[in-house]
C-alpha cells in the first residue's frame, strides 16, 4: 500500500503529535508554556527533517487547499494546523496561561 506524498506528511505529523500529546507533554513535571515550546521546537525540527529526508530534491508538488506548495511549506503549515487545537485543549486542561509574567 502506498500513500500519496500529502498523506505521508499528514501521517508523520499525526504520529509526532500523538507521541507529544499522549506521552511527552503529560509526563512533564512542570507543564509550563516555555517548557512545552522548547519540546515542541525539537519535535517540529524532527517532523520537518523527516519530511525533508523523504522529499528534498524530488520534484513533487503538494496540494494545500487550492494552492501548489513545496514539501517544507506543506509540512510546516499542516503541522501548525493540526497542533493548534491539541495545544489549546492541553493548555486549558492543565491551566497553562499564555500571559503570565514569569517574573511575578
Amino acid at each position: 500500500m502506498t500513500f500519496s506524498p500529502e498523506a505521508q506528511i499528514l501521517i508523520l505529523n499525526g504520529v509526532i503529535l500523538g507521541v507529544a500529546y499522549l506521552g511527552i507533554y503529560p509526563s512533564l513535571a512542570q507543564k509550563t508554556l516555555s517548557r512545552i515550546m522548547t519540546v515542541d521546537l525539537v519535535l517540529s525540527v524532527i517532523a520537518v527533517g523527516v519530511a525533508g529526508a523523504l522529499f528534498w530534491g524530488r520534484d513533487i508538488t503538494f496540494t494545500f487547499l487550492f494552492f501548489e506548495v513545496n514539501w517544507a511549506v506543506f509540512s510546516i503549515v499542516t503541522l501548525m494546523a493540526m497542533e493548534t487545537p491539541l495545544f489549546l485543549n492541553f493548555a486549558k486542561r492543565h491551566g497553562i496561561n499564555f500571559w503570565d509574567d514569569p517574573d511575578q
Side-chain angles (χ1 to χ4, degrees), residues 37-102:
M37 287 174 55
T38 302
V39 174
D40 187 61
L41 177 63
V42 172
L43 294 175
S44 297
V45 168
I46 291 170
V48 173
V50 172
L54 291 171
F55 300 109
W56 191 336
R58 296 173 61 188
D59 192 25
I60 298 175
T61 57
F62 292 80
T63 303
F64 183 74
L65 299 175
F66 303 108
F67 304 101
E68 298 291 322
V69 296
N70 66 11
W71 65 268
V73 171
F74 187 84
S75 179
I76 293 167
V77 171
T78 57
L79 183 63
M80 287 175 19
M82 293 169 73
E83 183 170 15
T84 299
L86 295 173
F87 174 74
L88 292 174
N89 185 27
F90 185 84
K92 183 178 179 181
R93 273 192 294 138
H94 293 280
I96 297 169
N97 192 343
F98 304 118
W99 293 277
D100 276 345
D101 185 4

Side-chain angles (χ1 to χ4, degrees), residues 6-51:
E6 289 91 349
Q8 290 178 36
I9 288 183
L10 291 173
I11 291 168
L12 170 67
N13 288 347
V15 168
I16 288 174
L17 291 173
V19 169
Y21 284 94
L22 296 175
I24 296 172
Y25 297 151
S27 67
L28 289 175
Q30 291 183 324
K31 294 173 183 69
T32 62
L33 184 60
S34 62
R35 183 70 179 135
I36 290 171
M37 287 174 55
T38 302
V39 174
D40 187 61
L41 177 63
V42 172
L43 294 175
S44 297
V45 168
I46 291 170
V48 173
V50 172

